[in-house]
Amino acid sequence: MDGSFTYNSLPVRVVFGRGTLSTVGEEAERLGAKRALVLTTPQQEAEGRRLGAQLGNLFAGVHAHATMHTPTDVTEAAMAELERAGADLVVSLGGGSSIGLGKALALRSGVNQLCIPTTYAGSEMTPILGETKDGLKTTLRSRDVLPETVIYDVDLTFSLPPAFSAASGLNAMAHAVETLYAQDRNPIVSLMAEEGIRALAQALPAITADPADAEARSNALYGAWLCGTCLGSVGMALHHKLCHTLGGSFDLPHAQTHAIVLPHAVAYNAAAAPEAMAAIRRALGADDAALGLFDLLGRLGLPRALAQIGMPQDGVERAADIAVEKPYWNPRPIEPDAIRDLLARAYAGERPGQRRL
Ligand code: NAD
């Protein structure tokens, strides 16, 4: 353990379990809400309406227009709806896209947020908001966007397709991995990070084999909660910088991009972060952290090449240039040639860690 450290705990109320959605009215009232606007994506509108019925008198309507990367024009339209509805609470139902929209509204209006996550992305536990304007994504950290209450209902995750569950779980693991070597890491978040990786590493193969496995679904959501808490508590490093660059520049799918890049980012940092690697090895039950993650992708049937998810071939050079421009702090210094090599390997789906020469 490091001799001294700083730990910021985040004041989020969490209700976890199966069937916990039934507490939504009670939880909304606990926040003093009078009118609650449900936010979700077009794909989850029907679930949003069912949730509305559970809110009873508090229900002020569904706004089902959330989309990836929180574009500001989508937020402006939702702000108008929030005002029209006279809502004092947003209930964000869905993955990071729905929750991102709720955070953007909270930032602009001070409205309270009750989140009901249905993926493993972890945004509900962070004071972080990424917003996109004119194709440029910027990220801010503020207590103003931290949700007040989170209801995790395992039952809502059964419908998440196994392939997306696996990718989303790897997205969560990435938060924990970077926590273990963050500049401001501390023993408390490291405990959560190792446990989060362990829970997801055990749960995801079981979900791939049987998406209706309740115990695995429960463990995955528990792991995602821990990993989200990690992301909310400490700084991000190379992996998140690369994924933000790739997502922003080439509009690649968020969760799948995280899954593909993670083993390569870990290999890049391995020699500079031996304690983190030991924790990842323990959590995965693998001999090598980067290869353990790469093998996990294979076992889960996930794509391992950025080329498979829409990255253009000439994107490697462009992404490498952008990624080294304003790097986040990272345990190993950012070396442009090695970053280009890392991205070339991830583009082609090669095993992590060796030079291509
Ligand atoms: P998403 O929210 O875009 O969801 C992907 C699709 O799956 C959507 O169509 C959604 O409606 C659907 N879906 C969600 N849950 C489902 C379920 N249980 N059953 C069936 N369909 C379901 O994807 P995501 O990966 O959760 O979120 C990505 C976004 O979140 C990105 O914009 C990313 O930047 C952001 N994010 C932010 C943070 C943060 O801390 N600020 C953290 C992680 C991700």
Side-chain angles (χ1 to χ4, degrees):
M1 190 186 87
D2 295 341
S4 57
F5 58 87
T6 304
Y7 171 63
N8 279 308
S9 75
L10 297 169
V12 184
R13 174 175 164 85
V14 173
V15 179
F16 187 98
R18 293 193 63 180
T20 45
L21 189 68
S22 64
T23 67
V24 70
E26 204 180 302
E27 290 299 329
E29 276 169 10
R30 200 186 169 95
L31 289 169
K34 300 276 178 284
R35 289 181 65 74
L37 179 67
V38 174
L39 303 174
T40 192
T41 59
Q43 295 80 8
Q44 289 178 286
E45 184 167 359
E47 288 87 339
R49 299 217 168 273
R50 274 199 290 279
L51 169 61
Q54 303 226 28
L55 281 164
N57 291 340
L58 298 181
F59 183 45
V62 177
H63 186 74
H65 300 286
T67 184
M68 194 105 85
H69 304 310
T70 331
T72 49
D73 52 342
V74 171
T75 300
E76 296 316 326
M79 266 304 289
E81 182 62 30
L82 184 77
E83 281 161 17
R84 224 179 355 255
D88 54 1
L89 175 74
V90 289
V91 181
S92 310
L93 173 73
S97 296
S98 300
I99 292 164
L101 179 58
K103 289 176 164 182
L105 294 183
L107 183 70
R108 285 163 179 77
S109 68
V111 75
N112 278 338
Q113 302 171 70
L114 196 168
C115 293
I116 306 173
T118 61
T119 72
Y120 305 131
S123 177
E124 66 281 356
M125 293 307 294
T126 81
I128 304 168
L129 169 64
E131 293 189 281
T132 312
K133 190 176 169 57
D134 301 329
L136 200 72
K137 187 162 179 175
T138 51
T139 302
L140 62 86
R141 233 177 224 270
S142 164
R143 281 285 177 101
D144 294 342
V145 303
L146 183 71
E148 277 69 23
T149 302
V150 177
I151 298 178
Y152 285 105
D153 188 339
V154 176
D155 292 350
L156 301 179
T157 62
F158 288 109
S159 56
L160 195 64
F164 191 82
S165 301
S168 189
L170 261 294
N171 180 194
M173 276 184 174
H175 306 329
V177 162
E178 293 233 289
T179 293
L180 289 164
Y181 54 63
Q183 188 175 28
D184 51 353
R185 66 187 175 277
N186 61 68
I188 312 302
V189 283
S190 295
L191 274 177
M192 294 190 218
E194 188 171 333
E195 173 69 357
I197 297 170
R198 188 200 58 73
L200 283 158
Q202 287 180 3
L204 297 179
I207 290 171
T208 303
D210 176 10
D213 182 332
E215 192 185 342
R217 285 291 189 186
S218 183
N219 284 334
L221 198 59
Y222 161 71
W225 164 17
L226 291 173
C227 293
T229 305
C230 290
L231 178 67
S233 306
V234 298
M236 297 174 261
L238 173 68
H239 169 81
H240 282 80
K241 175 70 186 183
L242 290 174
C243 292
H244 291 166
T245 302
L246 293 166
S249 309
F250 309 108
D251 203 25
L252 302 185
H254 179 84
Q256 292 85 341
T257 305
H258 270 270
I260 293 170
V261 171
L262 187 60
H264 299 278
V266 167
Y268 184 93
N269 282 328
E275 282 179 27
M277 296 304 130
I280 299 167
R281 284 197 304 272
R282 281 194 301 272
L284 294 175
D287 296 336
D288 180 271
L291 291 176
L293 288 163
F294 188 74
D295 291 343
L296 180 62
L297 258 67
R299 267 192 292 144
L300 298 173
L302 285 170
R304 293 202 281 202
L306 292 171
Q308 286 171 273
I309 61 164
M311 170 119 167
Q313 190 159 20
D314 66 355
V316 170
E317 286 293 319
R318 262 195 293 155
D321 290 345
I322 302 170
V324 302
E325 241 170 49
K326 281 190 206 147
Y328 301 165
W329 181 89
N330 191 61
R332 172 179 164 189
I334 301 301
E335 298 161 21
D337 284 349
I339 296 296
R340 196 165 290 111
D341 182 69
L342 180 167
L343 285 167
R345 301 191 73 79
Y347 173 80
E350 292 169 17
R351 287 173 83 72
Q354 303 126 38
R355 301 291 302 186
R356 285 166 63 81
L357 302 175

